[in-house]
């Protein structure tokens, strides 16, 4: 009712099955429909790390352009206790002008405070010493690694593709997807 009073559609995403059942009991008139999964975001680890094949031609081009443009000026770092504050500061700066990322910022703050306990790994790319891309992921299944957060500087072509590929190459060796 509140969302409708503001002229918005009420949408719940990524709901846990027991909560879905609670919603259905509490609001039987609520029409809950499952969304289609975004299969275009599921990659084989091998293809993502090597960028072989026609489907990944665009990513490969962005990475090649990045490598040519910024040769010797960039570095990849694994998330550690030494750079965790830099990582979080980048995410705050990335999302400070867009309130839609507030929930994600809260979730990543919790994840970062507990990254070792939760088994979360992360990475960042610095260009000329300044962070331009970050990512966080975990391995909930034996054959799959999930990227939870991936942010990069839109003004630096190839930065998204680089953080994605570099993280996959370094952290996803033992998974299929």
């Amino acid at each position: 009712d509140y969302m409708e009073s503001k002229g918005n559609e009420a949408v719940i995403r990524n709901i846990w099955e027991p909560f879905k059942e609670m919603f259905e009991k509490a609001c039987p008139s609520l029409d809950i429909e499952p969304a289609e999964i975004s299969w275009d975001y599921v990659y084989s680890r091998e293809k993502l790390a090597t960028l072989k094949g026609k489907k990944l031609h665009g990513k490969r081009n962005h990475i090649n352009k990045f490598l040519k443009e910024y040769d010797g000026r960039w570095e990849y770092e694994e998330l550690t206790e030494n750079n965790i504050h830099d990582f979080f500061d980048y995410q705050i700066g990335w999302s400070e002008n867009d309130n839609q990322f507030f929930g994600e910022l809260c979730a990543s703050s919790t994840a970062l405070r507990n990254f070792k306990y939760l088994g979360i790994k992360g990475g960042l790319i610095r260009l000329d010493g300044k962070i331009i891309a970050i990512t966080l992921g975990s391995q909930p299944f034996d054959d799959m690694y999930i990227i939870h957060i991936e942010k990069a500087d839109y003004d630096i072509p190839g930065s998204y593709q680089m953080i994605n590929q570099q993280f996959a190459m370094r952290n996803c060796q033992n998974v299929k997807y």
Side-chain angles (χ1 to χ4, degrees):
D1 290 343
Y2 172 78
M3 294 298 290
E4 287 177 5
S5 74
K6 298 295 181 186
N8 296 308
E9 179 184 5
V11 176
I12 299 172
R13 291 189 171 88
N14 302 328
I15 190 167
W16 188 38
E17 189 65 31
F19 289 158
K20 177 183 175 272
E21 293 167 6
M22 289 171 41
F23 271 98
E24 289 172 332
K25 284 180 185 174
C27 306
S29 64
L30 193 62
D31 185 24
I32 299 177
E33 297 178 23
E36 288 293 319
I37 189 167
S38 297
W39 287 108
D40 56 329
Y41 286 103
V42 177
Y43 295 95
S44 80
R45 181 262 176 219
E46 180 67 24
K47 284 187 177 183
L48 193 58
T50 63
L51 299 176
K52 290 182 181 175
K54 194 181 255 188
K55 181 180 176 184
L56 298 174
H57 181 262
K59 282 184 181 281
R60 190 170 52 250
N61 286 345
H62 285 293
I63 286 175
N64 288 337
K65 184 177 180 178
F66 182 94
L67 291 171
K68 184 179 177 183
E69 178 78 21
Y70 304 111
D71 183 38
R73 297 174 48 202
W74 70 277
E75 64 182 325
Y76 177 89
E77 296 176 23
E78 294 290 337
L79 178 67
T80 66
E81 290 182 5
N82 294 332
N83 62 19
I84 200 165
H85 293 291
D86 294 342
F87 186 106
F88 191 61
D89 287 346
Y90 178 82
Q91 187 166 15
I92 289 171
W94 196 94
S95 59
E96 70 184 350
N97 295 323
D98 195 337
N99 289 336
Q100 78 175 4
F101 294 106
F102 181 72
E104 180 181 278
L105 193 59
C106 291
S108 67
S109 171
T110 301
L112 288 170
R113 280 194 311 271
N114 299 289
F115 81 102
K116 286 185 177 180
Y117 174 75
L118 296 172
I120 292 173
K121 292 187 178 182
L124 56 92
I125 291 180
R126 293 184 194 264
L127 177 61
D128 298 329
K130 179 184 170 198
I131 295 178
I132 62 159
I134 61 170
T135 191
L136 280 180
S138 65
Q139 185 179 346
F141 309 108
D142 289 341
D143 66 343
M144 182 181 286
Y145 212 98
I146 296 177
I147 304 300
H148 301 293
I149 296 171
E150 191 173 83
K151 300 285 183 255
D153 189 328
Y154 285 115
D155 296 328
I156 300 175
S159 57
Y160 269 102
Q161 292 80 9
M162 282 299 292
I163 191 68
N164 187 257
Q165 184 205 36
Q166 294 296 308
F167 186 82
M169 285 173 34
R170 290 170 164 83
N171 294 285
C172 305
Q173 299 91 339
N174 300 320
V175 297
K176 185 174 181 177
Y177 302 103

